[in-house]
Amino acid sequence: MTTLRIASLRTALLLTVLTIASLIGLGPAMAAGPPVGLGEVPVHTAPNAYGPGIWHHAKQGKTWYGSYRTFPDTSAYCIDAGKKSPLPKYFKNAKADTVISARTAWALHEYAGSTSKDVQAALSAMARLDKALPHDHKVPPQKPADLGKKFAAAAKKHSTILAEAKKLAGPYTLDISLEPVMRMPVLEPYAAPESTTSPDSWASDKTDKPKVLGTPTDEATLTVSLLSASGAQVPDVPVTLKTTGTAKAPTTVTTGKEPVATTLRASAPGTLSVTASAKVAPQTVRVFEPTSGTRVQRVITPDTPDSVTDKASLELSSQPKVTTEISDQTPTPGETVTDEFTVSGLIGDHTVTVEHTLWQTATAPRQGIKNDDAREIGSVTSKNVGNGTHTSDEITVPEDFRGWLYFTETIAGDKATKEWKGIHGQPRETGFAPWTPTADTEAVLEGTSTHDEVAVTGLRPGSEAVLTITAYHVETEPAQSKKPDGTELSVQDFTVNADENGRVEIDTEPIDMPVGWVTYVTAIEGSDVNKAWTSDWGVPAETVHRPPEEKPSTPPEEPSTPPEEPSTPPAPPEQPENPEAPEKPESPPVEPVAETPETPASPAAPAPSGELPRTGTTGNGMLIGLGIVLVGLGSTILLISGSRRETD
């Protein structure tokens, strides 16, 4: 009986304890956990005190991995695991202290507003495990990966957020730079070498930047980067820009995984400056102590964002460039030319004064080189010139001008303007007036041949020229015209070199002159310095005439002077007839012997070649004949006398 009473009392005592535990909220919660001496006691009467999270049953007691709604406008995270829940009533008028903990601060700044229980559990674990924060744990903190399957997703979030925090947490460096936008090199130069921009005058205030070559424009490149403590680029952070000296500049840019660049255009020569600022994750967290209650957890909340700033400036002056084209590349002496020029590189509405100089040379200009014979024809000024295309005032080409002429331009330098000097011999700035030769000719008739005497003037001194002189034959007197007519008798080409006065003289080779008219045409071949020229056909000075021979109407009269005797001696005269023989003597007479034999006559000399033998009686012939007769008579008498002596 006594034993039964003791058992009944024990049973009643146990039921009483269970009833009390149930009333204070420990019964269901501890049904599967440790004794209630340690751990956080869930407050079922204040369900709105907890944000997203997960309960964990540790050996030492129950604890909440998640956020608390200790404050109405932000999430709070306990740093004293196992103490009383940080209900709002315990933190009325609480003041915060700050503790530097860059990684936890970054994690809370980025993820405190998440509605994911796994994310909030990961943040709670980071806060409890952060050695930079003060702690009074009653339940040992653990990583979500060590808290079982229920925390598997939270473990992944914890690992990801922790890795991001290591890479992207502060302190931060906002870095901006300004660099001039350089003009790309052109294929055809315009500026003299002394106008080439020095990169020294275009360096930004970042003196450690490498120099860049080229010609700056009115634009600058703004580069923005936000670096974390680890040196990584921090993306997706808005950066506010305040600029001066710019036109239509952006007011914000957003950082990226690489430096972000944008182009700014200067509104006027001078200083272009940029100030950049950004809100970034803080390096600190706010720590709150409870203002009432006992054994209440302390909590931390995200701190307000930090600000980072940077500034850069750049001195910009107008970098003018002038491209030009002469109004007439084949100018006529005595008329005017202008300089059609385009200005670029001036900043905003900046204007400048352009000086135009017109040069002339007798030798072909070389691009970028001033010839020794270059001299100034004249100059004009274009004032208040801005970017765009313009036309200079007129300059008159001299009446006697022959050769090349071209423009050069100059813009004086000052604080707001880089000096510009154009180069000599720019092809599009150059015009050329060729030498215009002419020829004075005179046709000459000599007997039955003719030739042409030509004097050329107006050639470029010392230049080579090709002359073609053509002779035409016509039956009737030619009338002067541009178009040649008749039959070509000859075509003669001559390559000549003009003297220092641009003059040359030649005579053509003689040609046979037929009956009728022959007229000459002189052509001067065009070249790169001399203009082509051709004389008219039928010019009187270039024409000669040979009339036909006249035929006699009556027989010609006998010449009064007898023709000359031929020089050939006449044939020997005939032998005289023998005299009658004397009476025959009784005895035959002895024929006398001549004392000296007769010398035979010399044969007649032949008549000279080409001359006919002379015929007829002349004085000499008669004397010779008479002499022969006398000799013959003498011989006969001697013979007769000799015969008589012998007879006697």
Side-chain angles (χ1 to χ4, degrees):
M1 189 69 174
T2 302
T3 302
L4 182 58
R5 288 179 180 174
I6 293 173
S8 299
L9 290 173
R10 289 178 178 175
T11 300
L13 181 61
L14 179 59
L15 291 174
T16 302
V17 171
L18 291 175
T19 301
I20 295 172
S22 177
L23 290 175
I24 64 173
L26 294 177
M30 298 297 292
V36 297
L38 296 175
E40 182 179 353
V41 178
V43 182
H44 294 287
T45 59
N48 293 331
Y50 302 94
I54 306 171
W55 284 103
H56 172 59
H57 298 267
K59 293 181 180 180
Q60 295 81 4
K62 194 173 185 180
T63 185
W64 179 248
Y65 280 87
S67 63
Y68 293 93
R69 295 192 176 97
T70 306
F71 305 102
D73 55 352
T74 185
S75 296
Y77 303 88
C78 77
I79 55 175
D80 299 324
K83 288 188 175 183
K84 287 183 180 181
S85 297
L87 301 179
K89 63 182 180 179
Y90 300 130
F91 290 88
K92 290 180 179 180
N93 301 318
K95 302 296 183 183
D97 294 324
T98 57
V99 176
I100 297 175
S101 181
R103 293 180 182 177
T104 299
W106 180 87
L108 299 185
H109 175 81
E110 292 293 324
Y111 293 101
S114 174
T115 59
S116 169
K117 65 177 182 177
D118 297 316
V119 170
Q120 294 294 351
L123 295 179
S124 177
M126 289 186 66
R128 295 181 181 188
L129 295 169
D130 189 349
K131 295 180 180 179
L133 301 176
H135 298 286
D136 184 17
H137 294 305
K138 302 306 178 182
V139 175
Q142 292 177 279
K143 295 179 181 179
D146 299 331
L147 298 179
K149 293 182 179 180
K150 188 167 55 173
F151 284 84
K156 291 181 180 180
K157 293 295 184 181
H158 179 263
S159 177
T160 299
I161 294 172
L162 187 59
E164 291 177 346
K166 290 179 179 179
K167 178 181 178 181
L168 301 176
Y172 299 96
T173 301
L174 179 62
D175 184 22
I176 68 171
S177 64
L178 282 172
E179 294 292 342
V181 174
M182 312 305 292
R183 180 181 293 121
M184 296 296 291
V186 293
L187 296 178
E188 187 176 26
Y190 292 93
E194 58 266 27
S195 294
T196 303
T197 302
S198 169
D200 293 338
S201 63
W202 299 96
S204 68
D205 57 352
K206 309 287 187 177
T207 56
D208 57 343
K209 300 282 184 178
K211 295 176 181 178
V212 289
L213 299 177
T215 302
T217 63
D218 60 348
E219 294 180 336
T221 300
L222 172 66
T223 303
V224 180
S225 65
L226 180 63
L227 301 175
S228 68
S230 68
Q233 294 284 342
V234 180
D236 304 322
V237 177
V239 178
T240 301
L241 303 177
K242 292 183 179 180
T243 61
T244 59
T246 62
K248 297 181 180 179
T251 57
T252 60
V253 295
T254 301
T255 60
K257 295 180 180 179
E258 299 292 338
V260 176
T262 188
T263 300
L264 304 180
R265 184 182 296 275
S267 58
T271 302
L272 188 157
S273 64
V274 179
T275 300
S277 61
K279 297 292 186 180
V280 294
Q283 301 178 56
T284 59
V285 295
R286 305 171 72 186
V287 181
F288 290 89
E289 295 276 353
T291 55
S292 63
T294 57
R295 297 182 58 82
V296 176
Q297 301 178 29
R298 289 171 296 180
V299 293
I300 62 171
T301 62
D303 203 353
T304 56
D306 284 343
S307 293
V308 287
T309 61
D310 193 22
K311 63 181 179 179
S313 63
L314 184 66
E315 290 296 324
L316 288 177
S317 62
S318 289
Q319 298 287 307
K321 171 185 173 183
V322 182
T323 58
T324 71
E325 185 170 353
I326 194 169
S327 59
D328 188 355
Q329 290 194 322
T330 56
T332 301
E335 297 188 358
T336 60
V337 292
T338 58
D339 191 10
E340 308 293 331
F341 65 104
T342 301
V343 178
S344 60
L346 300 179
I347 298 177
D349 296 329
H350 186 206
T351 61
V352 293
T353 297
V354 181
E355 295 286 342
H356 310 263
T357 302
L358 185 63
W359 301 85
Q360 72 173 31
T361 63
T363 56
R366 294 170 293 169
Q367 184 168 293
I369 298 174
K370 181 181 179 182
N371 289 1
D372 293 337
D373 62 347
R375 66 183 183 87
E376 183 178 331
I377 296 176
S379 62
V380 292
T381 301
S382 299
K383 295 182 179 180
N384 299 321
V385 173
N387 289 328
T389 301
H390 314 274
T391 301
S392 72
D393 291 339
E394 296 176 340
I395 298 179
T396 301
V397 179
E399 290 282 356
D400 60 348
F401 175 76
R402 297 293 185 274
W404 290 266
L405 50 78
Y406 57 84
F407 278 101
T408 60
E409 297 76 29
T410 302
I411 299 175
D414 54 29
K415 184 178 180 180
T417 312
K418 180 68 177 179
E419 181 186 47
W420 168 269
K421 289 183 179 180
I423 65 173
H424 287 254
Q426 189 70 15
R428 288 188 295 182
E429 294 179 333
T430 301
F432 176 66
W435 278 262
T436 54
T438 58
D440 292 327
T441 68
E442 183 176 357
V444 178
L445 176 63
E446 293 181 343
T448 59
S449 67
T450 180
H451 69 276
D452 198 18
E453 296 177 353
V454 182
V456 180
T457 58
L459 291 168
R460 179 192 171 194
S463 66
E464 183 179 272
V466 176
L467 278 62
T468 300
I469 302 171
T470 306
Y472 296 89
H473 174 253
V474 290
E475 297 292 342
T476 58
E477 184 175 1
Q480 184 171 335
S481 68
K482 296 292 183 181
K483 184 178 180 181
D485 195 7
T487 303
E488 286 187 4
L489 292 182
S490 74
V491 178
Q492 299 183 40
D493 293 328
F494 300 87
T495 300
V496 297
N497 288 303
D499 62 16
E500 66 275 7
N501 297 317
R503 180 181 176 86
V504 68
E505 295 181 359
I506 61 167
D507 290 348
T508 64
E509 294 292 329
I511 61 174
D512 290 337
M513 176 68 192
V515 173
W517 281 264
V518 171
T519 185
Y520 290 90
V521 174
T522 301
I524 303 173
E525 185 178 305
S527 67
D528 57 346
V529 294
N530 295 316
K531 193 174 182 180
W533 181 87
T534 302
S535 66
D536 286 350
W537 180 84
V539 175
E542 296 190 13
T543 304
V544 291
H545 176 231
R546 180 185 175 187
E549 295 183 0
E550 294 182 1
K551 295 182 179 180
S553 58
T554 58
E557 297 180 356
E558 291 290 335
S560 59
T561 304
E564 292 185 3
E565 293 294 331
S567 60
T568 304
E574 295 181 0
Q575 294 293 331
E577 295 181 359
N578 291 330
E580 293 182 2
E583 294 180 0
K584 189 175 179 180
E586 295 178 356
S587 59
V590 178
E591 189 171 353
V593 178
E595 294 180 0
T596 304
E598 185 178 351
T599 303
S602 300
S609 176
E611 294 186 12
L612 297 174
R614 297 183 181 180
T615 59
T617 303
T618 64
N620 291 334
M622 294 177 67
L623 290 175
I624 292 171
L626 181 60
I628 293 171
V629 171
L630 291 176
V631 170
L633 290 175
S635 298
T636 302
I637 294 171
L638 287 175
L639 288 173
I640 296 172
S641 297
S643 296
R644 288 179 176 177
R645 283 191 197 105
E646 288 180 359
T647 303
D648 293 338

